[in-house]
């Protein structure tokens, strides 16, 4: 059975064995948070916490946080954040009262972290000082991950690799998987965007820091611009051009890779016949011109287009780069997101790629070059399992008596959370990753990104289908606004079979203000523009602390269809056969 000191030394194994770990607190608030939050979760203390409300006392165990405790934690956290940095040091010194609070744990060093308690047993004496330390560390980390000059962000910033190029641009090569020096095989700590308004969990206890799973389960990268911000006020509206490509999926796209002769399972592959050969520069260029025409058409209708999004498996890496190069010349485009069939090295699979032009901030110009190393690619976390109902619903040509698994090598589970427009965060999921609770949803719920885009190859996006159900969960906890986007290919196959009502919903939007919005693609249209607006919001932790209105959420404002003339739309784009 582990004691408090055992837990500390397991999280910080390099701490000298001969020294007292409770003589001085760790120099990073994120380390104090890692230790205290881990203890609160491991002991079961976290769900006993509640803000004080005048009412008759209860004989049952609880941790009640009153205004005096909240105010003290906020004041000490602010003092730590604003404390001067001693000569020869790189981090501000912890205030004396924080040191005293840490030393309170000395007398509990040999206490067992978890012991079964009777219903009417008192809360262990170390729970409250541990909770206060977590609150203080959280308050000392206000704006961490967003403010590039945050005094406690040094460990994260040192994990960035910057390379100067001949064009005086830099490439973001990697970002830290944790703000804490605690062993990331046990816990990771990252910044945070949203605090859940429902539930009694550890993630409801903090505004600024999130305790995440160990890196072996899933690695979460918090990617922040490292260049000076562009001058001027950040816009509060965001326009996404949603292109549901491919529009058609041929009969032979889903193909058998291997099948067990006796058992009822096998591997299937997806042959991307809708993509031109990489050697066919003419068709590759035509596709890029087609997308640029859609951007132009949308803007000519007075619509914002700040980003372009394509669904699961829409492109390969080469053709993603083609499109990114063209969009990079448009300084109003902030990012491109697409599902791709190959990664940067040429490995086939199921990936999401993002060209986050916003990371370049003030370094960005229309004629910039050598920026392509900022493209982030990560793989899908779960294989698609096709069952008989899906095979028959879309007439996919596989044996419906077998269960078919997507032929993928899952080498690394990671999630990128990107900071854009100064105070907003964005992440992506691929199809099954939205439906599976672990491992990535623990990160999504812990960090609480403002915007999540899920890329699918699926049927119509309706409120009674699985993507809507899982989007609803995330819109409630942690409050993330969710967009699910599918290609039109499987919808078209379903429509042609006529076994279900004709459908055209390529996307579904869900936020915690307007609920679900079905986004339908009108006949003969090519894409939709989804317009969002950022609304401010005040959130409170489970212990009652306010974030002073620093949170915002992306809310649906409207959407419209966009199309190009038949002369500007290559025939092969609509047939699903480009090779």
């Amino acid at each position: 059975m582990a004691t408090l000191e055992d837990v500390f030394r397991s999280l910080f194994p390099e701490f000298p064995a001969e020294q007292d770990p409770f003589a001085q607190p760790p120099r990073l608030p994120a380390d104090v948070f890692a230790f205290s939050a881990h203890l609160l979760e491991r002991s079961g203390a976290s769900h006993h916490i509640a803000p004080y409300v005048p009412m008759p006392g209860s004989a049952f165990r609880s941790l009640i946080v009153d205004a005096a405790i909240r105010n003290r934690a906020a004041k000490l956290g602010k003092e730590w954040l604003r404390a001067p940095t001693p000569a020869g040091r790189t981090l501000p010194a912890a205030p004396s009262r924080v040191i005293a609070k840490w030393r309170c744990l000395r007398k509990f060093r040999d206490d067992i972290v978890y012991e079964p308690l009777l219903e009417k047993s008192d809360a262990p004496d170390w729970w409250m000082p541990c909770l206060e330390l977590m609150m203080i560390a959280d308050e000392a980390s206000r704006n961490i991950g967003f403010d590039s000059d945050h005094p406690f962000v040094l460990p994260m910033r040192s994990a960035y690799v910057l390379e100067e190029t001949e064009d005086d641009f830099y490439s973001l090569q990697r970002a830290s998987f944790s703000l804490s020096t605690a062993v990331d095989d046990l816990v990771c700590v990252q910044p945070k965007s949203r605090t859940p308004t429902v539930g009694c969990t550890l993630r409801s206890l903090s505004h600024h820091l999130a305790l995440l799973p160990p890196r072996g389960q899933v690695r979460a990268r918090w990617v922040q611009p490292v260049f000076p911000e562009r001058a001027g006020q950040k816009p509060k509206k965001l326009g996404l051009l949603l292109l549901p490509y491919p529009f058609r999926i041929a009969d032979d796209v889903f193909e058998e890779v291997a099948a067990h002769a006796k058992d009822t399972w096998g591997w299937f592959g997806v042959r991307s016949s809708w993509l031109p050969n990489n050697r066919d520069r003419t068709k590759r260029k035509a596709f890029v011109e087609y997308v640029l025409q859609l951007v132009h058409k949308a803007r000519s209708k007075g619509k914002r287009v700040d980003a372009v999004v394509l669904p699961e498996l829409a492109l390969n890496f080469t053709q993603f780069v083609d499109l990114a190069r063209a969009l990079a010349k448009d300084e109003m485009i902030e990012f491109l997101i697409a599902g791709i069939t190959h990664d940067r090295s040429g490995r086939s699979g199921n990936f999401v790629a993002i060209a986050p032009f916003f990371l370049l901030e003030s370094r960005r110009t229309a004629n910039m070059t050598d920026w392509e190393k900022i493209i982030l690619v990560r793989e899908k976390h779960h294989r698609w399992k096709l069952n008989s109902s899906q095979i028959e619903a879309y007439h996919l040509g596989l044996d419906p008596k077998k269960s078919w698994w997507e032929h993928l090598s899952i080498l690394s589970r990671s999630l990128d959370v990107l900071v854009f427009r100064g105070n907003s965060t964005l992440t992506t999921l691929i199809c099954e990753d939205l439906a599976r609770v672990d491992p990535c949803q623990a990160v999504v719920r812990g960090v609480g990104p403002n915007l999540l885009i899920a890329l699918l190859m699926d049927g119509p996006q309706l409120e009674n289908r699985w993507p809507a159900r899982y989007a609803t969960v995330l819109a409630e906890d942690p409050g993330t606004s969710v967009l699910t986007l599918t290609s039109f290919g499987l919808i078209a196959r379903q429509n042609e079979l006529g076994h279900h009502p004709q459908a055209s919903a390529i996307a579904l939007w869900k936020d915690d203000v307007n609920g679900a919005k079905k986004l339908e693609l009108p006949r003969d249209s090519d894409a939709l523009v989804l317009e969002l607006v950022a609304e401010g919001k005040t959130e409170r932790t489970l212990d009652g602390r306010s974030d002073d209105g620093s949170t915002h959420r992306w809310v649906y404002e409207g959407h419209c269809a966009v199309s190009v003339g038949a002369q500007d739309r290559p025939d092969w784009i609509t047939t699903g056969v480009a090779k």
Side-chain angles (χ1 to χ4, degrees):
M1 293 185 291
T3 65
L4 268 64
E5 182 166 354
D6 291 336
V7 169
F8 182 91
R9 292 192 181 278
S10 66
L11 291 176
F12 304 98
E14 295 184 2
F15 189 84
E18 68 279 3
Q19 292 186 20
D20 178 4
F22 299 110
Q24 292 288 332
R27 294 174 60 206
L28 281 171
D31 285 348
V32 174
F33 182 87
F35 176 64
S36 55
H38 179 67
L39 286 176
L40 291 172
E41 185 170 54
R42 187 164 168 175
S43 65
S46 58
H47 60 264
H48 292 81
I49 298 165
Y52 171 75
V53 176
M55 61 182 294
S58 170
F60 297 105
R61 183 171 53 257
S62 62
L63 279 182
I64 301 300
V65 180
D66 60 22
I69 296 173
R70 285 194 297 271
N71 292 339
R72 182 166 62 242
K75 185 176 181 180
L76 289 176
K78 187 179 295 184
E79 283 182 21
W80 197 356
L81 178 59
R82 296 178 179 177
T85 301
R89 297 292 187 94
T90 58
L91 294 170
S96 59
R97 288 190 294 168
V98 174
I99 296 172
K101 188 69 65 177
W102 179 263
R103 288 176 177 170
C104 285
L105 296 179
R106 265 179 170 164
K107 56 188 173 184
F108 308 117
R109 67 196 312 154
D110 295 324
D111 284 20
I112 303 300
V113 173
Y114 173 75
E115 289 185 295
L117 300 172
L118 298 175
E119 288 182 348
K120 294 187 178 181
S121 296
D122 292 335
D125 291 338
W126 62 266
W127 280 12
M128 184 55 80
C130 188
L131 171 60
E132 287 197 60
L133 283 164
M134 196 209 79
M135 294 165 64
I136 292 166
D138 186 48
E139 292 292 335
S141 302
R142 183 178 290 265
N143 292 326
I144 199 165
F146 297 97
D147 179 2
S148 60
D149 295 322
H150 198 284
F152 297 116
V153 84
L154 181 62
M156 183 172 68
R157 290 200 58 163
S158 64
Y160 283 104
V161 177
L162 305 178
E163 293 184 356
E164 189 168 3
T165 72
E166 60 184 5
D167 296 303
D168 198 30
F169 284 102
Y170 295 82
S171 298
L172 290 170
Q173 300 287 44
R174 62 187 178 94
S176 171
F177 296 119
S178 182
L179 290 175
S180 171
T181 63
V183 174
D184 51 15
D185 291 347
L186 297 177
V187 297
C188 291
V189 176
Q190 286 288 26
K192 188 171 182 175
S193 297
R194 298 293 305 269
T195 301
T197 58
V198 295
C200 298
T201 63
L202 188 74
R203 59 182 177 271
S204 303
L205 281 169
S206 63
H207 287 305
H208 312 293
L209 293 175
L211 188 73
L212 302 182
R215 63 175 182 173
Q217 293 182 26
V218 58
R219 295 177 297 166
R221 296 192 298 183
W222 183 276
V223 185
Q224 179 182 3
V226 293
F227 306 122
E229 291 187 4
R230 287 190 177 206
Q233 189 173 5
K234 303 289 184 181
K236 290 188 176 181
K237 295 189 176 184
L238 180 67
L240 305 178
L241 179 74
L242 310 180
L243 179 58
Y245 188 73
F247 297 103
R248 290 288 186 276
I249 291 178
D251 291 343
D252 59 351
V253 161
F254 286 79
E255 55 187 5
E256 177 182 322
V257 174
H260 198 285
K262 296 181 180 179
D263 290 333
T264 59
W265 62 271
W267 296 111
F268 77 88
V270 179
R271 191 173 61 84
S272 52
S273 61
W274 54 86
L275 287 177
N277 287 317
N278 285 344
R279 296 185 300 273
D280 192 337
R281 295 181 180 273
T282 300
K283 284 185 178 178
R284 283 167 49 190
K285 182 178 179 181
F287 181 79
V288 171
E289 290 297 325
Y290 167 66
V291 177
L292 295 180
Q293 279 284 337
L294 288 171
V295 173
H296 174 73
K297 289 286 187 180
R299 288 176 177 163
S300 69
K301 297 174 71 170
K303 303 300 179 183
R304 291 187 66 95
V305 178
D306 302 296
V308 177
V309 186
L310 292 91
E312 182 180 14
L313 298 174
L315 304 175
N316 62 29
F317 184 76
T318 298
Q319 294 174 41
F320 177 89
V321 173
D322 284 347
L323 183 55
R325 284 172 178 163
L327 294 174
K329 294 179 171 59
D330 182 341
E331 292 188 66
M332 290 187 289
I333 297 292
E334 297 179 47
F335 58 88
L336 164 67
I337 292 175
I340 59 175
T341 62
H342 295 77
D343 68 2
R344 193 188 299 269
S345 69
R347 177 166 68 100
S348 62
N350 195 328
F351 306 88
V352 57
I354 177 168
F357 306 123
F358 54 79
L359 292 180
L360 297 168
E361 285 284 358
S362 61
R363 294 295 183 103
R364 185 178 180 186
T365 62
N367 60 354
M368 64 182 181
T369 59
D370 201 28
W371 54 269
E372 292 167 20
K373 289 182 182 178
I374 70 170
I375 293 175
L376 299 173
V377 179
R378 68 167 189 84
E379 62 191 296
K380 191 176 181 181
H381 296 176
H382 296 276
R383 297 181 181 94
W384 183 2
K385 181 184 178 183
L386 281 171
N387 55 33
S388 59
S389 62
Q390 291 173 308
I391 292 169
E392 292 167 356
Y394 304 123
H395 193 58
L396 298 181
L398 297 170
D399 183 354
K401 295 179 182 178
K402 291 184 180 291
S403 292
W404 295 93
W405 291 89
E406 187 176 12
H407 186 235
L408 296 179
S409 296
I410 303 172
L411 302 184
S412 175
R413 283 172 164 166
S414 63
L415 201 69
D416 296 321
V417 181
L418 296 95
V419 177
F420 74 104
R421 294 193 178 178
N423 66 346
S424 196
T425 51
L426 162 71
T427 195
T428 58
L429 294 178
I430 310 172
C431 209
E432 279 70 27
D433 299 350
L434 176 65
R436 304 283 75 82
V437 172
D438 47 6
C440 62
Q441 280 205 20
V443 173
V444 172
R445 292 192 180 194
V447 170
N450 301 97
L451 175 61
L452 185 151
I453 298 176
L455 309 181
L456 317 175
M457 178 176 278
D458 189 38
Q461 298 303 286
L462 307 175
E463 287 187 61
N464 62 347
R465 296 191 66 247
W466 70 269
R469 294 198 301 271
Y470 293 105
T472 296
V473 171
L474 294 177
E476 291 179 350
D477 177 4
T480 296
S481 298
V482 181
L483 169 70
T484 65
L485 170 66
T486 185
S487 50
F488 199 78
L490 290 182
I491 299 176
R493 293 187 69 85
Q494 179 179 291
N495 288 343
E496 289 162 2
L497 289 171
H499 297 156
H500 299 275
Q502 296 292 292
S504 61
I506 62 163
L508 191 82
W509 171 262
K510 187 71 169 31
D511 63 52
D512 62 354
V513 176
N514 297 304
K517 292 289 182 181
K518 182 173 61 174
L519 308 181
E520 296 184 292
L521 185 73
R523 185 181 297 272
D524 298 327
S525 294
D526 296 87
L528 295 179
V529 174
L530 172 63
E531 294 183 303
L532 309 173
V533 62
E535 285 191 357
K537 188 176 188 295
T538 298
E539 294 180 334
R540 289 188 177 273
T541 55
L542 191 60
D543 54 64
R545 284 177 295 124
S546 170
D547 68 351
D548 301 321
S550 62
T551 303
H552 74 277
R553 54 193 172 190
W554 289 105
V555 174
Y556 172 88
E557 188 173 62
H559 73 279
C560 73
V562 182
S563 61
V564 299
Q567 70 279 5
D568 295 319
R569 184 191 302 119
D571 291 341
W572 54 268
I573 283 180
T574 55
T575 64
V577 180
K579 296 178 180 177

